[in-house]
Amino acid sequence: MLRIAVMVSGGGTNLQAIIDAVSDGRISNTEIVRVISNKAEAKALERAKKAGIEAISVVRKECADTEEFNSRLLAAIDEVSPDLVVLAGFLVVLPPELVNRYQNRIINIHPSLIPSFCGKGCYGLKVHEEVLKRGVKITGATVHFVDEGCDSGPIILQKAVEVRDGDSAELLQRRVMEEAEWKILPHAIDLIANGRVSVVDRKVEIR
Ligand code: GRF
């Protein structure tokens, strides 16, 4: 049974997609053991509680400094001994110690086809604003392992989504979530839970 801890910051629609997929069997062999948010008021925490999943928050302003925040975040994860840490709309830069301790055991969902429209400062709605500004016709989402960089780890799954004339950033974000994020994140977790993913020379192989 794959034990997963899910890190959230906001609405939790990606978390909800994981919860629903575990419950209907699209994700097998998996248990969500804890949901952790950096925002005490995140709607994602309500979603977790509604599903009977332990949900806690680690809030930066309740910590004396970044060092204390990082160690509390690390402790909140270590306490439940997850096999996999899932960043589902988590908008905090991970402490290097966490990335090193959970090498190739942290995955993230990013709302573009990496390496396009990613990197420092390019997250959430901003991604879709940049997509529209550049005028690309195809965008999408990517699930990747987290490494020491920003959106730079080995890519696990991607799914393309068309950009339509007249799209607003909000409309495009919603389509990318519905048609890509909420599908490939659960799919990636199921593949990992069933031992079908390996990383060779920083490239992902799926069996
Ligand atoms: C989504 O755009 C997702 O791509 C990004 O965070 C945003 C909010 O996700 N990673 P959620 O509704 O909190 O899952």
Side-chain angles (χ1 to χ4, degrees), residues 70-200:
N70 286 346
S71 61
R72 282 180 56 189
L73 203 59
L74 206 50
I77 295 169
D78 286 346
E79 274 166 12
V80 290
S81 316
D83 302 301
L84 183 71
V85 177
V86 180
L87 309 184
F90 189 62
L91 300 177
V92 169
V93 176
L94 297 187
E97 196 185 349
L98 173 61
V99 177
N100 296 334
R101 189 174 302 181
Y102 290 87
Q103 204 168 36
N104 284 337
R105 291 200 293 149
I106 306 173
I107 64 173
N108 180 50
I109 177 80
H110 181 77
S112 78
L113 296 176
I114 289 174
S116 299
F117 305 104
C118 65
K120 204 164 167 47
C122 197
Y123 57 84
L125 199 60
K126 177 109 176 91
V127 172
H128 307 291
E129 289 165 352
E130 291 302 308
V131 161
L132 293 174
K133 206 155 81 177
R134 183 64 185 81
V136 298
K137 301 305 174 188
I138 297 289
T139 186
T142 302
V143 182
H144 63 94
F145 283 110
V146 172
D147 66 5
E148 60 293 334
C150 182
D151 300 327
S152 55
I155 289 171
I156 305 168
L157 292 176
Q158 294 188 297
K159 190 163 185 343
V161 174
E162 68 170 355
V163 182
R164 293 181 189 154
D165 292 346
D167 266 345
S168 65
E170 291 76 6
L171 204 58
L172 183 55
Q173 177 177 51
R174 184 75 194 182
R175 187 177 313 122
V176 169
M177 289 166 115
E178 282 175 353
E179 296 184 8
E181 296 178 39
W182 300 344
K183 294 184 187 316
I184 61 175
L185 186 55
H187 186 194
I189 294 168
D190 183 61
L191 290 170
I192 293 167
N194 291 286
R196 296 183 52 199
V197 174
S198 52
V199 181
V200 180

